[in-house]
Amino acid sequence: QQQVKQSPQSLIVQKGGIPIINCAYENTAFDYFPWYQQFPGKGPALLIAIRPDVSEKKEGRFTISFNKSAKQFSLHIMDSQPGDSATYFCAARVGSGNTGKLIFGQGTTLQVKP
Amino acid sequence: EAQVTQNPRYLITVTGKKLTVTCSQNMNHEYMSWYRQDPGLGLRQIYYSMNVEVTDKGDVPEGYKVSRKEKRNFPLILESPSPNQTSLYFCASSLDRQGVNGELFFGEGSRLTVL
């Protein structure tokens, strides 16, 4: 099953809160899990990514947690700021080189209130 | 500056009137792709191209055409647009199909409304 299920669809937090976005997958052939961030009026851009042999990866205030046995991964934003308000997409890669592709989740619109 | 450029950014048209959305990248990428973004459905791939004169269908190709005559350009063609093609469209490019380290470079989007 080449799907990535993302939740919630939308999320509102106060400044300083820790929004959590979850993604789940079925295909164990997925081997790389990037997250994309999209600001209003802009295209998505790579934010952070993780491989399945790692349980956690941090880059600044952004952390990916990965649970291989549960086939779930999540994005946490520490000390969230209004500037983090954006749409976030999880994705999963299957295959490699020119036989691979990225499968995107449904997206989560995050609003961080001042 | 490395970028993917789409035009037009906004377009309102009527059912059946052929239109083309252009996409150009200046990074010498071999792989280019078109996605549409709809609320609750995320990013869905329409067509992709591995290289010049090599194109293939993505997950939602119906009603669309593409061409890749030059490496830098990958236009999306709607021969007879219908209201269900009202959407936000993104062009993306990368060194290969799944992106080095999962990174695709996206344009800023083209919002299309078909009346």
Side-chain angles (χ1 to χ4, degrees):
Chain A
Q1 182 79 336
Q2 287 201 359
Q3 275 188 16
V4 179
K5 295 183 179 179
Q6 183 172 347
S7 62
Q9 187 169 349
S10 63
L11 190 54
I12 301 174
V13 300
Q14 293 292 135
K15 177 183 175 182
I18 306 175
I20 301 172
I21 303 170
N22 300 299
C23 287
Y25 64 97
E26 291 294 327
N27 190 347
T28 56
F30 289 143
D31 66 351
Y32 197 73
F33 300 87
W35 285 85
Y36 280 75
Q37 180 186 52
Q38 180 188 25
F39 292 111
K42 300 294 185 182
L46 182 65
L47 176 64
I48 185 173
I50 195 168
R51 299 186 185 277
D53 55 347
V54 176
S55 61
E56 185 177 276
K57 182 174 182 180
K58 291 183 180 180
E59 284 189 5
R61 295 182 294 105
F62 298 89
T63 299
I64 303 177
S65 297
F66 190 85
N67 186 330
K68 189 174 182 177
S69 60
K71 296 184 219 170
Q72 296 176 348
F73 58 109
S74 59
L75 178 70
H76 302 232
I77 306 176
M78 310 303 287
D79 186 27
S80 60
Q81 302 295 313
D84 297 327
S85 297
T87 298
Y88 293 83
F89 293 97
C90 63
R93 183 182 73 184
V94 59
S96 61
N98 283 332
T99 63
K101 67 180 297 186
L102 281 178
I103 310 293
F104 286 91
Q106 294 74 25
T108 297
T109 301
L110 170 66
Q111 181 184 358
V112 181
K113 291 189 171 184
Chain B
E1 179 189 356
Q3 58 186 6
V4 177
T5 304
Q6 298 177 224
N7 281 296
R9 295 289 312 280
Y10 302 91
L11 180 63
I12 300 174
T13 190
V14 295
T15 298
K17 186 176 181 181
K18 180 180 179 180
L19 68 92
T20 299
V21 186
T22 64
C23 174
S24 180
Q25 52 93 6
N26 63 0
M27 294 170 279
N28 201 35
H29 285 163
E30 292 192 348
Y31 177 75
M32 297 185 74
S33 180
W34 277 101
Y35 291 85
R36 60 179 289 174
Q37 180 180 351
D38 301 288
L41 297 177
L43 292 162
R44 294 181 294 167
Q45 190 178 51
I46 302 170
Y47 267 95
Y48 63 93
S49 170
M50 300 288 201
N51 212 325
V52 175
E53 302 292 0
V54 181
T55 63
D56 208 346
K57 296 178 180 178
D59 300 314
V60 289
E62 294 76 22
Y64 304 95
K65 286 176 59 178
V66 293
S67 68
R68 187 92 181 271
K69 294 183 170 59
E70 303 167 285
K71 194 173 187 178
R72 63 184 293 127
N73 297 322
F74 190 45
L76 179 69
I77 303 157
L78 285 73
E79 293 271 3
S80 182
S82 62
N84 64 11
Q85 293 178 297
T86 293
S87 187
L88 179 59
Y89 291 87
F90 287 99
C91 180
S93 74
S94 179
L95 286 172
D96 60 31
R97 183 178 176 186
Q98 39 81 41
V100 176
N101 292 326
E103 184 164 21
L104 292 175
F105 294 86
F106 285 85
E108 295 199 320
S110 296
R111 184 166 293 283
L112 171 65
T113 301
V114 183
L115 302 176

